[in-house]
Amino acid sequence: MAERTRRQFLKEAVVLGGSALLVVGCSESLDVTQGVSVELLLPEALRAPGGHYEITDPSILAQFGERRTIFLYRSSESSVIAVSTRCTHQGCRVVFSSMSQEFSCPCHGARFQANGKVIRGSAKRDLFRYRATLLGDTVRIES
Ligand code: FES
């Protein structure tokens, strides 16, 4: 019985080890600091739907543990979307196109919708999405 348990353990360890290697090799870790809340004056670019703005201030990004930038997109009169520009494949900085309203990754060609959802690999996961709330003349970003 003890031998069977040990065999089972080793079998599971091999499976877990394989999964871990897969994660390390193909996916950027999401290590955003949880529980952070920052409120910003609403940038001019976000005053109308379709507008976008990128948070590049290192002191704000450091609070979230963000290694790229935080992209804000005014998706409607009443809502803003906030996503990390760190590609979930291997961490390159994705770039937003106003023409296509999509992000593209210059490293291996992944594409994402403005809300961060994957359209095309190499990335398999959506961009990290922060909570964003419009509060009159300010916007609150939370992790
Ligand atoms: Fe590979 Fe973005 S880092 S597709």
Side-chain angles (χ1 to χ4, degrees):
M1 184 71 164
E3 180 60 27
R4 186 173 174 200
T5 303
R6 198 178 89 185
R7 268 194 216 143
Q8 185 61 35
F9 171 79
L10 290 173
K11 188 176 174 183
E12 289 170 2
V14 168
V15 170
L16 290 173
S19 297
L21 284 175
L22 187 64
V23 169
V24 170
C26 298
S27 186
E28 175 72 356
S29 67
L30 294 176
D31 51 2
V32 169
T33 306
Q34 295 298 311
V36 176
S37 178
V38 171
E39 202 166 315
L40 308 170
L41 277 176
L42 194 64
E44 191 63 37
L46 289 180
R47 298 211 178 257
H52 55 89
Y53 178 81
E54 207 159 340
I55 300 174
T56 58
D57 182 330
S59 66
I60 294 173
L61 299 173
Q63 290 182 58
F64 288 104
E66 175 61 61
R67 288 189 277 156
R68 296 297 181 202
T69 62
I70 298 174
F71 184 89
L72 304 177
Y73 178 74
R74 182 79 181 253
S75 54
S76 72
E77 279 295 331
S78 60
S79 62
V80 170
I81 292 169
V83 296
S84 169
T85 60
R86 181 173 21 143
C87 183
T88 54
H89 179 227
Q90 291 183 353
C92 291
R93 182 172 172 267
V94 298
V95 178
F96 187 76
S97 163
S98 296
M99 291 283 287
S100 65
Q101 298 285 294
E102 294 174 359
F103 293 98
S104 61
C105 181
C107 293
H108 311 103
R111 289 175 41 209
F112 305 84
Q113 296 175 0
N115 64 7
K117 293 229 176 277
V118 174
I119 298 170
R120 186 177 84 195
S122 303
K124 304 240 183 302
R125 288 182 298 143
D126 299 341
L127 297 175
F128 181 82
R129 191 155 164 183
Y130 295 89
R131 286 186 299 281
T133 310
L134 278 174
L135 303 163
D137 283 346
T138 64
V139 58
R140 181 187 302 143
I141 314 297
E142 298 169 284
S143 58

